[in-house]
Amino acid sequence: MSGLEAALRALGDGNRRAILELVRDEPRAVGEIAERVALSQQAVSHHLRVLRGAGLVTERREGTRHLFAVRVDGFGAVREYLDSFWPDRLAALKQAAERRSADG
């Protein structure tokens, strides 16, 4: 599975997106994440494994705690994919606007 496919698959789950939002601003432990998203620690650990496998979060140990944070560069493949749609779409929008101005 490519990095893009893994990232899109990981982002396709609402619970994983909620977890990403929680760890976006600061690293958090599994227990804290579980409390905030109202899931069991086991479920959160599963989602974090998927996110880590897709390269979207990092994990570091602090004593006995495992802290998870967003890995910003992990979103590169998704961003490149989405950005590839904009030049064509913007050009089409420009042409439509220009046609409308010419007709109007």
Side-chain angles (χ1 to χ4, degrees), residues 33-87:
I33 296 168
E35 286 177 20
R36 291 183 178 235
V37 295
L39 292 172
S40 70
Q41 286 190 16
Q42 183 178 3
V44 168
S45 292
H46 166 74
H47 289 304
L48 286 166
R49 272 193 302 280
V50 172
L51 291 167
R52 192 176 60 228
L56 301 177
V57 298
T58 61
E59 176 184 9
R60 79 169 198 266
R61 291 190 78 161
E62 192 174 274
T64 59
R65 294 172 17 131
H66 293 258
L67 298 175
F68 293 86
V70 165
R71 183 173 168 242
V72 178
D73 59 338
F75 288 87
V78 175
R79 184 178 181 128
E80 285 177 25
Y81 175 72
L82 294 175
D83 283 349
S84 72
F85 288 95
W86 289 109

